[in-house]
Amino acid sequence: MDIVSILVMNGPNLSRLGKREPEIYGSRTLDDINREIAEAFPGLTFEFFQSEEEGELLEKLFHCEDQGGFSGVILNAGALTHYSIALRDAISAISIPVIEVHLSNIYAREEFRRISVISEVCAGVISGFGPDSYHLGVRGIMGMLESK
Ligand code: DQA
């Protein structure tokens, strides 16, 4: 198999992990989470990207699509999950498979979080396993590549 490159992309407020509502999101920072992903899969190549801005997330997806070489995207879109049709359209517009991940179980929280406008256009959804959600997403992409 060629070198597998995965984009791990986080949306608004995920830069605050570690400080932000630790009872929900845990005590690890985003840097901790990203480092642990890279350590858990030493044979893979990762690019990590976070932005508070919807447009920057879209541009990053298009950039990866145009650049080529990416096998998948692990995306925690934060609150954009629940309302961003622009993000949904961007995911639809690219051919790289996107796995939606959440630290918390969005189906066990407030009603507005139970709706994801991006799930339908994602290759898979993982929610509620804390930082392991990202690891499970990576496993999902590897499984998809193996079954091709
Ligand atoms: C989240 C869940 C979202 O509802 C929330 O807006 C976030 C984080 C999660 O990882 O559990 O910012 O995506």
Side-chain angles (χ1 to χ4, degrees):
M1 211 192 280
D2 295 338
I3 296 169
V4 175
S5 292
I6 294 175
L7 172 67
V8 179
M9 191 162 88
N10 282 276
N13 298 314
L14 291 157
S15 59
R16 306 296 295 167
L17 288 177
K19 300 188 185 110
R20 172 194 183 199
E21 297 177 279
E23 64 291 355
I24 298 174
Y25 299 116
S27 56
R28 288 209 193 55
T29 65
L30 186 56
D31 281 347
D32 293 336
I33 290 173
N34 288 344
R35 195 189 51 250
E36 286 166 12
I37 295 169
E39 283 169 3
F41 300 96
L44 309 187
T45 304
F46 292 96
E47 185 167 334
F48 298 100
F49 183 78
Q50 189 275 334
S51 177
E52 311 297 351
E53 304 289 339
E54 182 184 54
E56 286 185 6
L57 298 170
L58 271 55
E59 279 167 6
K60 186 68 186 174
L61 289 178
F62 296 145
H63 182 74
C64 288
E65 173 85 354
D66 293 343
Q67 187 184 319
F70 283 87
S71 300
V73 178
I74 308 293
L75 171 63
N76 186 346
L80 293 173
T81 305
H82 312 299
Y83 67 87
S84 176
I85 306 299
L87 181 58
R88 178 196 166 107
D89 285 350
I91 296 168
S92 283
I94 62 171
S95 58
I96 311 170
V98 176
I99 313 286
E100 173 185 350
V101 303
H102 301 283
L103 293 150
S104 63
N105 177 357
I106 59 170
Y107 299 100
R109 298 184 61 195
E110 302 95 322
E111 191 124 17
F112 67 87
R113 289 187 209 276
R114 296 183 202 155
I115 292 167
S116 166
V117 299
I118 64 170
S119 296
E120 240 176 10
V121 293
C122 286
V125 182
I126 298 161
S127 186
F129 297 96
D132 281 350
S133 291
Y134 295 85
H135 295 232
L136 293 166
V138 175
R139 286 186 187 285
I141 290 173
M142 286 165 65
M144 284 166 50
L145 292 173
E146 277 158 21
S147 63
K148 259 191 189 166

